[in-house]
Amino acid sequence: MKHKRLKHRFVDEIPQKLEPGVLYVSIEYGTVIHSCCCGCGTEVVTPLGPKDWKLTYDGESISLWPSVGNWDYPCRSHYIIRGNRVIDAEDWNEDRVKKERKKQLLNRKADSPGKNAPPSEHAPDSKPAASRTEGWFSRFLSLFW
């Protein structure tokens, strides 16, 4: 990994150009975005939510769980972000990646209220913007409770 430690920035909008080694956290959109930690420069989007990634902020550092597996990118990097540190994780073979994706898809389908609803305009792994009537601090706290 090129980046072993990351800085974090809470932002209202994601910048056009991502600074390597920085986690951009948008509470309003429930998303963390960063440039791949291997140094390849690919934009990595990790949506936050019950069936997606969990963010922990202890007042000084950020952790994301589960691991970040960039299986669709040429680098195929896999790492864990804990306390702003990047921890190398093992590579997964294609069978393991397929099994995990199938499991995630089944979990999402089981929890979706309208299984026959028309497709959303959002990408499958994205989530709609948080309610703008709710204050940012309430949305931030909801990440932990």
Side-chain angles (χ1 to χ4, degrees):
M1 283 300 136
K2 181 175 181 177
H3 301 284
K4 297 288 187 183
R5 281 197 75 65
L6 303 171
K7 299 179 220 167
H8 60 272
R9 291 193 190 137
F10 291 96
V11 296
D12 293 326
E13 294 181 12
I14 303 301
Q16 289 290 334
K17 185 169 175 14
L18 301 182
E19 184 181 329
V22 177
L23 289 172
Y24 296 92
V25 180
S26 171
I27 299 302
E28 182 173 2
Y29 295 103
T31 303
V32 177
I33 299 177
H34 66 284
S35 180
C36 184
C37 292
C38 81
C40 72
T42 303
E43 182 178 288
V44 179
V45 178
T46 50
L48 303 173
K51 298 293 177 186
D52 294 308
W53 281 265
K54 314 290 182 266
L55 175 132
T56 304
Y57 176 63
D58 65 8
E60 293 182 8
S61 66
I62 287 186
S63 298
L64 281 179
W65 186 258
S67 62
V68 177
N70 296 320
W71 313 122
D72 291 332
Y73 305 146
C75 69
R76 290 188 55 89
S77 62
H78 184 206
Y79 47 89
I80 298 165
I81 299 172
R82 184 178 302 140
N84 283 15
R85 290 179 297 121
V86 179
I87 303 164
D88 261 324
E90 68 183 57
D91 190 16
W92 287 7
N93 64 33
E94 283 304 313
D95 286 339
R96 186 168 179 189
V97 172
K98 286 178 187 175
K99 285 178 187 175
E100 183 61 27
R101 285 182 175 160
K102 184 175 180 178
K103 184 173 95 175
Q104 289 172 353
L105 182 62
L106 290 172
N107 284 340
R108 282 192 172 99
K109 282 184 179 180
D111 288 342
S112 67
K115 292 179 183 152
N116 297 323
S120 167
E121 66 183 71
H122 300 283
D125 288 332
S126 68
K127 48 188 297 194
S131 167
R132 294 189 189 274
T133 59
E134 191 178 3
W136 73 268
F137 189 69
S138 296
R139 290 191 307 270
F140 178 75
L141 288 178
S142 72
L143 294 172
F144 303 102
W145 281 266

